[in-house]
Amino acid sequence: MAHHEFWRRHHSKGRQIALGFMIGSACFALGSFPLYFEHIDARIVAVTFFVGSIFFTAAALGQLTDAITVRHADRGARPRSWRVWGWDVEPLDFWAALVQFVGTICFNISTGFAIDAALDEHQIDRLVWRPDVYGSIAFLVASYLADVAVTRRAWRWRPGGRPGWIAKLNLLGSVAFGVSAAAAFTLPTTDEVANIRLANVGTFVGAVCFFVGAALLLPEVGPRPSQA
């Protein structure tokens, strides 16, 4: 395959992944924005979150396949790579993408069940809150692994360039999602959410962080100069 053709296909898919995360993040930000959820039917708000989770899953699947498939024009193996089902992979890239993909599936489940307004508080905690917590934990683990993959250190506060900023923003967004999930627990004594304001703020902040991180990814996957 010619180099320019390889880069065209690779970066086209990269843009699709970035846009998928941006659309998913925009849906989550919209769904948690007061001017939206206070004036729109609750089921429509729930559908907004569900649609966002589908875009998250599609983008995460694209990122997972990218982490598995060799993306070099010369088909050479990456340094320090390992093999899964015959494909060369970067270990941290692969595990981060896999855990993230599992997390998006959890969000598909939680947002899908949340559309049903007939659920009682016990069903909400079991069918909505638990998968939401599992998804948030998966995002937090995946974001940390991605950050280590970028910085090559267990922890480094300084981003050190665009990839570092993307990793840090995703990590911050995952923390915000985790706070939101914890605050969304329905208390059995009152049948009310523990802290609905914190739940919405956490979701909004996390979604904004993910959106900006995905937007910063777009220049990284822009077309490169063609090579002979």
Side-chain angles (χ1 to χ4, degrees):
M1 179 188 298
H3 284 207
H4 66 83
E5 177 67 12
F6 165 80
W7 286 117
R8 185 186 68 80
R9 293 185 182 181
H10 171 54
H11 293 299
S12 175
K13 183 175 182 179
R15 283 192 294 272
Q16 292 173 9
I17 293 172
L19 289 174
F21 280 122
M22 290 175 68
I23 295 172
S25 300
C27 289
F28 272 68
L30 178 63
S32 58
F33 192 66
L35 289 178
Y36 183 76
F37 68 75
E38 289 178 357
H39 298 88
I40 300 295
D41 183 79
R43 288 198 176 187
I44 296 179
V45 175
V47 169
T48 302
F49 283 116
F50 180 69
V51 170
S53 75
I54 296 299
F55 276 98
F56 272 151
T57 300
L61 179 60
Q63 204 163 50
L64 178 59
T65 57
D66 259 5
I68 293 176
T69 308
V70 178
R71 292 297 182 179
H72 287 268
D74 58 3
R75 299 299 182 184
R78 290 170 153 182
R80 292 180 291 179
S81 65
W82 60 307
R83 300 183 71 81
V84 175
W85 302 311
W87 289 299
D88 291 299
V89 241
E90 288 283 356
L92 286 178
D93 291 345
F94 169 75
W95 286 111
L98 178 61
V99 174
Q100 177 182 248
F101 177 70
V102 172
T104 64
I105 298 297
C106 291
F107 285 135
N108 293 159
I109 296 171
S110 64
T111 56
F113 277 112
I115 297 174
D116 188 354
L119 296 175
D120 59 34
E121 70 275 9
H122 300 295
Q123 290 175 315
I124 289 175
D125 283 340
R126 179 169 58 88
L127 300 175
V128 179
W129 184 75
R130 289 182 184 178
D132 193 37
V133 169
Y134 298 150
S136 298
I137 292 174
F139 264 43
L140 187 58
V141 172
S143 297
Y144 175 72
L145 292 177
D147 184 65
V148 174
V150 170
T151 62
R152 298 298 179 184
R153 295 183 182 180
W155 175 251
R156 182 181 179 181
W157 172 247
R158 295 182 180 179
R162 187 186 298 273
W165 276 111
I166 294 171
K168 287 294 187 290
L169 282 167
N170 287 335
L171 186 57
L172 180 59
S174 297
V175 171
F177 264 33
V179 171
S180 173
F185 180 72
T186 302
L187 300 173
T189 54
T190 62
D191 294 343
E192 295 181 355
V193 174
N195 192 325
I196 185 63
R197 179 173 296 181
L198 184 59
N200 287 324
V201 169
T203 300
F204 182 79
V205 171
V208 170
C209 289
F210 291 138
F211 182 90
V212 176
L216 287 175
L217 183 63
L218 286 175
E220 290 290 301
V221 297
R224 297 192 178 189
S226 61
Q227 302 177 26

